[in-house]
Amino acid sequence: MNTKRNRSGFDLYSIRTVTILSFLWFAAFLIVTIWSLQTFFINNYYEDMKARETQNSAMMLQTTYESGNTNLANLALSISVDTGTFVRMDIGEEIYVFDGGTIVEPSEATYSYEIGKAREKLVASGQKSLSLMANDSKTKARRLVYVSYLGKRRYGNFLYIVAPLYPVQSTISILRQQLTYISAIAFIIALLLARLISSRLTNPIKGITESAIKLGQGKYNVKFNGGGFTETNELARTLNTASYEMQKTEHYQRDLIANVSHDLKTPLTMIKSYAEMINDISGDIPEKRAQHLNVIITEADRLNKLVNDMLAASRLQSNQVELNKEKFDIVEAALEVAETYLVLNDTDGYFINFTRCKPAYVYGDKEKMKQVMSNLISNAVKYCGEDKFVNIELTRIGNKKVRFDVFDHGEGIAADELAHVWERYYRASANHNRAIEGTGLGLSIVRSILALHNANYGVDSKVGQGSDFWFEMDIVKK
Ligand code: ADP
């Protein structure tokens, strides 16, 4: 990130500086705009406004006159009073004057010089009406003189309106003074607001940074606080989840080291002690020796399986596995797997059933799918109840899907643990105390493989009643 921070700690790119500068820019822009509008344009604006007002008055008088309305005089008087203008109408021989702006009785002589000039100009120009600015030579007062024909030109009737233009200088200086105050207040408010907003924005970010530093130091129990903004709240939520996941992984890994070292230790101790026994005692007694060698082989196999599981899980996790996809009959594959377990019915008093449907071809990695089924069946065998009952079942769902289920009547899995059994190194609490070997890797391998096949999978389980681990795959044409 690009930050410029000088020795005093001022950072040009910090949220605080940027917010304060933006607010000050905005305040300055507003103030400059208002100042220039007020001081430079107020004069023009005032004169334009007067000209428009005068024209409107003239139009009203014109229409009233043309419609022959007898209210003309009243209207002229009220316009003159309302707008503070001098109104004169020359109709035939008659001259009517009104001046609402002064208390002096108006007369024909009032503004007669300006009126005369304006009329001359109008007649010379051939226009219907015109306005001009006149400066009083003595008082320097400015006025707007409007003249137009009243009714048709050939009757020679005239309407004059003279609007005095008051000097706006005094108004401008009042405004300037007020604007100075307003500007100062605006700057102060902008500064305060910017500081308030920036500190409200930066405080949660600072808090999150501090917590993240702690997390980096391995303190997984830190809590991230969002500070009330949607974005920062979301960031805090994400980081809380991340720290929870990290905590969980660490927890599982600690468990794994404990489990694995225990699981490795037991067969190693057995191997060592049986080897010693052969060495010391049974070496010359073929029957005993064979028995002891058998134990060594079984334990070595167990070690082998454990190491393989760990390798498989870590390869799958790091996406190093390539699938060898082909079309194969999943029912046949399931039977091949089940057969290695069905022998337990005869040797160990299990009741393992295999219920099949008609062949169902799927597209996937046959060996990996066999590993999935083997892991699920071996779990059912490991965790089945006293009745040693396990049911492996394949069913077709229409012509679209095939479903693999393995049921047992074991302890089952508590509802709050169901989602976790698929996680790496997770071993459900109900099975912890039992002397059942396991690494907590089997189901995580199953999950990774099924995910690579885009298969649906799940587990339905009730504590005390048993479990049903299942997956479904799309049937393809043979
Ligand atoms: P493990 O090597 O411990 O069996 P798995 O990943 O295969 O590891 O299973 C994770 C956990 O899920 C097991 O420790 C066990 O608690 C639970 N589990 C798996 N299958 C079953 C089942 N059929 N019945 C009850 N619990 C099961």
Side-chain angles (χ1 to χ4, degrees):
M1 208 180 79
N2 187 9
T3 52
K4 278 190 190 158
R5 196 187 276 271
N6 64 19
R7 246 177 269 149
S8 63
F10 172 75
D11 178 358
L12 189 59
Y13 294 100
S14 73
I15 290 183
R16 165 174 251 178
T17 319
V18 172
T19 322
I20 291 178
L21 287 181
S22 312
F23 264 86
L24 289 183
W25 270 115
F26 181 60
F29 169 75
L30 272 189
I31 289 163
V32 168
T33 314
I34 296 171
W35 270 80
S36 37
L37 280 180
Q38 297 286 34
T39 50
F40 300 130
F41 303 125
I42 202 163
N43 218 16
N44 288 343
Y45 182 78
Y46 173 66
E47 286 183 5
D48 274 3
M49 194 192 77
K50 274 287 171 196
R52 248 177 287 127
E53 193 182 79
T54 311
Q55 249 159 26
N56 282 345
S57 308
M59 215 137 75
M60 270 157 60
L61 289 168
Q62 196 71 259
T63 29
T64 311
Y65 173 79
E66 277 169 9
S67 66
N69 198 321
T70 47
N71 266 340
L72 187 61
N74 281 342
L75 180 66
L77 179 63
S78 76
I79 284 176
S80 150
V81 170
D82 290 347
T83 59
T85 47
F86 171 84
V87 178
R88 170 171 155 177
M89 291 182 287
D90 295 1
I91 302 171
E93 294 299 308
E94 299 293 329
I95 292 176
Y96 305 91
V97 287
F98 310 88
D99 194 354
T102 83
I103 43 166
V104 183
E105 187 68 30
S107 75
E108 232 176 280
T110 315
Y111 300 130
S112 59
Y113 175 71
E114 287 92 338
I115 284 172
K117 282 199 107 178
R119 184 176 48 209
E120 261 173 42
K121 260 196 158 179
L122 178 73
V123 173
S125 74
Q127 286 172 294
K128 178 112 197 3
S129 68
L130 64 79
S131 312
L132 53 87
M133 289 294 169
N135 285 323
D136 194 304
S137 49
K138 274 190 239 136
T139 59
K140 294 264 185 282
R142 269 164 73 73
R143 36 187 89 102
L144 175 86
V145 185
Y146 172 91
V147 55
S148 76
Y149 292 101
L150 201 51
K152 295 233 163 53
R153 189 181 310 210
R154 65 187 131 97
Y155 297 130
N157 297 333
F158 289 96
L159 164 68
Y160 310 97
I161 301 177
V162 181
L165 297 174
Y166 299 105
V168 288
Q169 209 46 46
S170 58
T171 322
I172 289 176
S173 55
I174 294 173
L175 279 175
R176 272 206 184 133
Q177 215 170 42
Q178 285 186 348
L179 269 177
T180 316
Y181 295 135
I182 293 173
S183 307
I185 293 169
F187 266 111
I188 292 168
I189 291 179
L191 208 66
L192 290 179
L193 219 70
R195 281 185 68 113
L196 187 82
I197 292 176
S198 64
S199 65
R200 278 207 59 200
L201 263 176
T202 46
N203 283 349
I205 296 177
K206 277 190 197 148
I208 288 175
T209 310
E210 276 163 25
S211 303
I213 290 172
K214 283 191 195 143
L215 181 66
Q217 292 163 347
K219 293 175 188 147
Y220 296 119
N221 54 353
V222 289
K223 274 272 155 289
F224 289 89
N225 253 321
F229 295 101
T230 313
E231 291 84 354
T232 47
N233 277 346
E234 200 151 309
L235 176 63
R237 230 186 345 263
T238 312
L239 287 170
N240 277 331
T241 319
S243 94
Y244 174 71
E245 290 297 329
M246 284 166 81
Q247 198 175 358
K248 229 169 41 176
T249 310
E250 205 219 26
H251 181 76
Y252 289 153
Q253 249 149 16
R254 238 184 292 143
D255 266 13
L256 165 83
I257 294 169
N259 285 346
V260 167
S261 51
H262 173 261
D263 291 344
L264 287 176
K265 227 163 138 191
T266 321
L268 278 175
T269 319
M270 299 267 275
I271 289 171
K272 187 167 179 264
S273 39
Y274 276 82
E276 277 171 358
M277 272 206 282
I278 295 171
N279 198 22
D280 298 344
I281 311 163
S282 60
D284 297 331
I285 314 165
E287 210 174 280
K288 283 249 177 211
R289 189 182 57 206
Q291 221 178 7
H292 292 167
L293 279 172
N294 246 341
V295 176
I296 291 177
I297 292 166
T298 317
E299 293 305 321
D301 281 348
R302 187 167 294 164
L303 269 180
N304 198 22
K305 184 184 176 318
L306 182 65
V307 174
N308 282 343
D309 269 8
M310 286 165 73
L311 277 176
S314 80
R315 277 211 203 101
L316 281 164
Q317 192 96 46
S318 52
N319 288 331
Q320 284 176 7
V321 175
E322 280 204 11
L323 296 184
N324 283 324
K325 285 197 173 180
E326 57 179 324
K327 279 181 194 169
F328 66 93
D329 177 10
I330 187 103
V331 183
E332 195 54 41
L335 184 61
E336 283 167 25
V337 177
E339 268 166 355
T340 59
Y341 292 92
L342 288 169
V343 288
L344 296 174
N345 288 352
D346 303 326
T347 57
D348 290 70
Y350 277 88
F351 297 96
I352 303 177
N353 281 320
F354 183 78
T355 318
R356 58 177 298 169
C357 59
K358 64 177 185 177
Y361 281 81
V362 296
Y363 185 65
D365 186 320
K366 187 174 174 187
E367 285 314 309
K368 295 261 168 348
M369 289 309 297
K370 278 172 85 170
Q371 190 183 351
V372 165
M373 294 186 279
S374 174
N375 282 3
L376 294 179
I377 299 171
S378 98
N379 273 352
V381 169
K382 263 198 291 190
Y383 302 110
C384 70
E386 303 278 297
D387 65 357
K388 294 194 160 187
F389 166 87
V390 172
N391 191 20
I392 306 159
E393 203 171 299
L394 281 126
T395 34
R396 289 173 71 109
I397 308 170
N399 283 329
K400 289 252 152 50
K401 283 188 184 292
V402 56
R403 179 176 164 118
F404 171 94
D405 281 280
V406 49
F407 302 91
D408 65 66
H409 292 164
E411 288 274 326
I413 302 160
D416 58 334
E417 297 194 83
L418 266 185
H420 297 295
V421 293
W422 304 96
E423 288 166 12
R424 245 179 133 182
Y425 308 134
Y426 190 88
R427 307 197 65 201
S429 57
N431 298 314
H432 264 189
N433 304 328
R434 297 181 23 188
I436 295 180
E437 282 143 20
T439 54
L441 288 171
L443 287 181
S444 101
I445 294 174
V446 167
R447 174 177 68 169
S448 304
I449 297 176
L450 289 176
L452 284 175
H453 282 86
N454 292 326
N456 281 334
Y457 61 90
V459 48
D460 306 319
S461 187
K462 278 218 169 86
V463 174
Q465 292 185 20
S467 315
D468 166 17
F469 280 84
W470 59 268
F471 67 82
E472 286 171 4
M473 289 184 89
D474 290 336
I475 294 178
V476 294
K477 283 207 180 89
K478 189 177 170 184

